[in-house]
Protein backbone atom coordinates (compact mmCIF):
# COMPACT_ATOMS: atom_id res chain seq x y z
CA UNK A 1 0.00 0.00 0.00
CA UNK A 2 1.53 3.27 -1.14
CA UNK A 3 1.06 6.92 -0.30
CA UNK A 4 0.07 9.20 -3.18
CA UNK A 5 0.04 12.93 -3.74
CA UNK A 6 -3.38 13.68 -5.19
CA UNK A 7 -4.52 16.87 -6.84
CA UNK A 8 -7.00 18.02 -9.46
CA UNK A 9 -5.67 18.19 -13.01
CA UNK A 10 -6.20 21.87 -13.74
CA UNK A 11 -7.34 22.39 -17.32
CA UNK A 12 -4.81 24.81 -18.74
CA UNK A 13 -1.60 24.92 -20.72
CA UNK A 14 1.54 23.04 -19.61
CA UNK A 15 4.65 25.19 -19.12
CA UNK A 16 8.25 24.81 -18.00
CA UNK A 17 9.99 27.65 -16.21
CA UNK A 18 13.77 27.87 -15.94
CA UNK A 19 15.25 29.84 -13.07
CA UNK A 20 18.96 30.65 -13.04
CA UNK A 21 20.43 31.78 -9.72
CA UNK A 22 16.87 32.34 -8.52
CA UNK A 23 15.74 34.56 -11.41
CA UNK A 24 13.24 33.62 -14.10
CA UNK A 25 15.31 33.16 -17.27
CA UNK A 26 13.04 31.24 -19.66
CA UNK A 27 9.47 30.02 -19.96
CA UNK A 28 8.23 27.62 -22.62
CA UNK A 29 5.08 25.70 -23.47
CA UNK A 30 5.19 21.92 -23.79
CA UNK A 31 4.48 22.21 -27.51
CA UNK A 32 4.61 18.83 -29.21
CA UNK A 33 6.44 17.20 -26.31
CA UNK A 34 9.94 17.78 -27.61
CA UNK A 35 9.80 21.37 -28.85
CA UNK A 36 7.80 24.08 -27.14
CA UNK A 37 7.11 27.74 -27.74
CA UNK A 38 9.13 30.37 -25.85
CA UNK A 39 6.70 32.55 -23.85
CA UNK A 40 8.95 34.22 -21.26
CA UNK A 41 7.72 37.80 -21.78
CA UNK A 42 4.11 36.71 -21.36
CA UNK A 43 4.76 34.52 -18.31
CA UNK A 44 6.45 37.50 -16.64
CA UNK A 45 3.01 39.20 -16.63
CA UNK A 46 1.37 36.43 -14.55
CA UNK A 47 1.14 37.79 -11.02
CA UNK A 48 1.36 34.40 -9.30
CA UNK A 49 4.67 33.57 -11.03
CA UNK A 50 7.65 34.92 -9.08
CA UNK A 51 10.30 36.66 -11.15
CA UNK A 52 12.77 36.00 -8.33
CA UNK A 53 12.52 32.93 -6.11
CA UNK A 54 12.34 33.27 -2.34
CA UNK A 55 14.85 31.76 0.08
CA UNK A 56 17.89 29.72 -0.87
CA UNK A 57 17.22 29.12 -4.55
CA UNK A 58 19.20 26.50 -6.45
CA UNK A 59 21.66 27.64 -9.12
CA UNK A 60 19.39 26.10 -11.78
CA UNK A 61 15.77 25.07 -11.39
CA UNK A 62 13.31 23.93 -14.03
CA UNK A 63 9.76 23.60 -12.75
CA UNK A 64 6.77 22.27 -14.61
CA UNK A 65 3.24 23.38 -14.14
CA UNK A 66 0.05 24.68 -15.64
CA UNK A 67 -1.01 28.16 -16.75
CA UNK A 68 -4.77 28.57 -16.51
CA UNK A 69 -7.56 31.09 -16.26
CA UNK A 70 -9.99 31.10 -13.37
CA UNK A 71 -13.68 31.02 -14.17
CA UNK A 72 -14.07 34.54 -12.79
CA UNK A 73 -11.30 35.92 -15.02
CA UNK A 74 -12.76 34.04 -18.01
CA UNK A 75 -16.22 35.49 -17.48
CA UNK A 76 -14.79 39.01 -17.12
CA UNK A 77 -12.71 38.58 -20.29
CA UNK A 78 -15.71 37.41 -22.31
CA UNK A 79 -17.90 40.18 -20.88
CA UNK A 80 -15.37 42.83 -21.97
CA UNK A 81 -15.04 41.22 -25.42
CA UNK A 82 -18.84 41.11 -25.89
CA UNK A 83 -19.15 44.78 -24.86
CA UNK A 84 -16.58 45.69 -27.55
CA UNK A 85 -18.26 43.49 -30.15
CA UNK A 86 -15.27 41.13 -30.26
CA UNK A 87 -15.25 37.35 -30.49
CA UNK A 88 -15.56 35.55 -27.15
CA UNK A 89 -13.69 32.44 -26.02
CA UNK A 90 -15.36 29.03 -25.76
CA UNK A 91 -13.76 27.98 -22.45
CA UNK A 92 -11.10 29.04 -19.94
CA UNK A 93 -8.49 26.60 -21.31
CA UNK A 94 -8.67 28.06 -24.82
CA UNK A 95 -8.61 31.56 -23.36
CA UNK A 96 -5.50 30.74 -21.32
CA UNK A 97 -3.72 29.14 -24.29
CA UNK A 98 -4.55 32.05 -26.59
CA UNK A 99 -3.56 34.58 -23.96
CA UNK A 100 -0.19 32.97 -23.26
CA UNK A 101 0.65 32.93 -26.97
CA UNK A 102 -0.07 36.62 -27.60
CA UNK A 103 2.60 38.60 -29.43
CA UNK A 104 2.05 41.58 -27.11
CA UNK A 105 2.66 40.84 -23.40
CA UNK A 106 0.38 43.76 -22.48
CA UNK A 107 -2.56 41.81 -23.90
CA UNK A 108 -1.54 38.79 -21.83
CA UNK A 109 -1.29 40.95 -18.71
CA UNK A 110 -4.87 42.21 -19.16
CA UNK A 111 -6.22 38.67 -19.23
CA UNK A 112 -5.47 37.66 -15.63
CA UNK A 113 -3.78 34.29 -16.03
CA UNK A 114 -2.76 32.18 -13.07
CA UNK A 115 -0.30 29.31 -12.59
CA UNK A 116 0.48 26.39 -10.35
CA UNK A 117 3.46 24.04 -10.30
CA UNK A 118 3.73 20.33 -9.61
CA UNK A 119 6.90 18.94 -11.12
CA UNK A 120 10.64 19.22 -11.42
CA UNK A 121 12.47 19.07 -14.73
CA UNK A 122 15.99 19.81 -13.52
CA UNK A 123 17.75 21.15 -10.48
CA UNK A 124 21.39 21.96 -9.78
CA UNK A 125 22.84 23.19 -6.53
CA UNK A 126 19.89 21.79 -4.61
CA UNK A 127 19.24 18.71 -2.51
CA UNK A 128 16.34 17.34 -4.53
CA UNK A 129 13.39 16.14 -2.46
CA UNK A 130 12.81 12.38 -2.20
CA UNK A 131 9.02 12.63 -2.14
CA UNK A 132 6.44 14.42 -4.24
CA UNK A 133 4.95 15.94 -1.07
CA UNK A 134 8.40 17.29 -0.14
CA UNK A 135 8.85 18.68 -3.67
CA UNK A 136 5.54 20.56 -3.45
CA UNK A 137 6.52 21.98 -0.04
CA UNK A 138 9.94 23.01 -1.42
CA UNK A 139 8.31 24.74 -4.42
CA UNK A 140 5.98 26.64 -2.07
CA UNK A 141 9.04 27.59 0.04
CA UNK A 142 10.58 29.15 -3.07
CA UNK A 143 7.42 31.21 -3.63
CA UNK A 144 6.01 29.06 -6.44
CA UNK A 145 2.27 28.41 -6.19
CA UNK A 146 1.04 24.82 -6.02
CA UNK A 147 -2.51 23.54 -6.22
CA UNK A 148 -4.21 24.29 -2.88
CA UNK A 149 -6.26 21.10 -3.17
CA UNK A 150 -3.24 18.78 -3.26
CA UNK A 151 -3.36 16.18 -0.55
CA UNK A 152 -1.43 13.13 0.61
CA UNK A 153 -3.65 10.01 0.50
CA UNK A 154 -3.00 6.38 1.44
CA UNK A 155 -3.58 3.45 -0.88
CA UNK A 156 -6.32 2.80 -3.40
CA UNK A 157 -9.04 3.59 -0.85
CA UNK A 158 -7.54 7.03 -0.22
CA UNK A 159 -7.34 7.68 -3.99
CA UNK A 160 -10.99 6.73 -4.48
CA UNK A 161 -12.12 8.83 -1.52
CA UNK A 162 -10.19 11.86 -2.83
CA UNK A 163 -11.65 11.37 -6.30
CA UNK A 164 -15.18 11.30 -4.85
CA UNK A 165 -14.59 14.53 -2.93
CA UNK A 166 -13.19 16.27 -6.02
CA UNK A 167 -16.19 15.13 -8.06
CA UNK A 168 -18.50 16.68 -5.47
CA UNK A 169 -16.47 19.91 -5.34
CA UNK A 170 -15.73 20.16 -9.06
CA UNK A 171 -18.41 22.75 -9.84
CA UNK A 172 -17.42 24.92 -6.86
CA UNK A 173 -13.71 25.09 -7.68
CA UNK A 174 -12.65 28.43 -9.11
CA UNK A 175 -11.15 26.78 -12.18
CA UNK A 176 -11.89 23.96 -14.60
CA UNK A 177 -10.36 20.53 -14.11
CA UNK A 178 -10.20 17.53 -16.38
CA UNK A 179 -9.66 14.85 -13.79
CA UNK A 180 -7.45 14.00 -10.86
CA UNK A 181 -3.72 13.20 -10.85
CA UNK A 182 -2.05 10.78 -8.45
CA UNK A 183 1.72 10.53 -8.04
CA UNK A 184 3.41 7.95 -5.85
CA UNK A 185 4.87 9.97 -2.98
CA UNK A 186 8.29 8.29 -3.09
CA UNK A 187 10.59 8.95 -6.03
CA UNK A 188 12.68 5.84 -5.23
CA UNK A 189 9.78 3.38 -4.92
CA UNK A 190 10.77 1.03 -7.79
Amino acid sequence: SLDYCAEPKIDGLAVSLHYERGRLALAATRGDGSRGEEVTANVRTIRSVPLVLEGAAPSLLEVRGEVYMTRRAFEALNRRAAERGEKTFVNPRNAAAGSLRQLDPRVTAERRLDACFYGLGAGEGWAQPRRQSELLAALRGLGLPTCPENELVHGAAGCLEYYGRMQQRRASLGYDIDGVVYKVDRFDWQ
Side-chain angles (χ1 to χ4, degrees):
S1 186
L2 298 170
D3 289 332
Y4 297 88
C5 271
E7 63 184 78
K9 167 60 179 83
I10 296 176
D11 194 13
L13 183 67
V15 294
S16 289
L17 273 53
H18 295 254
Y19 286 87
E20 295 175 4
R21 293 177 300 285
R23 297 189 178 282
L24 180 62
L26 177 71
T29 66
R30 181 179 60 208
D32 63 9
S34 60
R35 178 166 290 194
E37 184 178 346
E38 192 266 326
V39 290
T40 309
N42 291 346
V43 166
R44 289 180 183 278
T45 70
I46 301 172
R47 293 177 181 170
S48 58
V49 173
L51 302 180
V52 177
L53 296 175
E54 298 173 7
S59 56
L60 171 70
L61 181 70
E62 177 194 354
V63 293
R64 295 185 179 153
E66 202 81 8
V67 169
Y68 64 98
M69 186 175 285
T70 64
R71 289 183 187 136
R72 177 178 282 168
F74 172 72
E75 291 164 2
L77 174 64
N78 271 350
R79 188 172 39 255
R80 287 191 307 271
E83 288 169 357
R84 294 188 291 233
E86 299 171 355
K87 185 177 177 183
T88 59
F89 287 95
V90 175
N91 58 52
R93 192 230 176 268
N94 289 357
S99 299
L100 194 60
R101 291 185 172 121
Q102 288 293 311
L103 297 177
D104 184 350
R106 292 174 295 189
V107 174
T108 304
E110 291 174 1
R111 295 195 177 169
R112 298 288 188 150
L113 296 175
D114 214 331
C116 72
F117 298 92
Y118 51 75
L120 182 65
E124 294 176 9
W126 193 40
Q128 293 187 14
R130 298 186 55 177
R131 297 181 175 275
Q132 177 69 14
S133 56
E134 292 171 358
L135 172 63
L136 295 174
L139 295 177
R140 285 189 297 273
L142 293 170
L144 291 158
T146 61
C147 182
E149 283 79 26
N150 73 51
E151 189 176 312
L152 194 60
V153 299
H154 185 71
C159 291
L160 290 171
E161 192 272 331
Y162 181 86
Y163 175 79
R165 279 190 286 122
M166 284 299 109
Q167 279 295 92
Q168 290 176 345
R169 293 187 53 213
R170 187 176 197 153
S172 66
L173 295 172
Y175 46 83
D176 285 350
I177 65 172
D178 53 359
V180 173
V181 177
Y182 301 98
K183 293 182 182 175
V184 175
D185 193 40
R186 287 178 40 198
F187 293 141
D188 61 350
W189 67 278
Q190 298 173 329

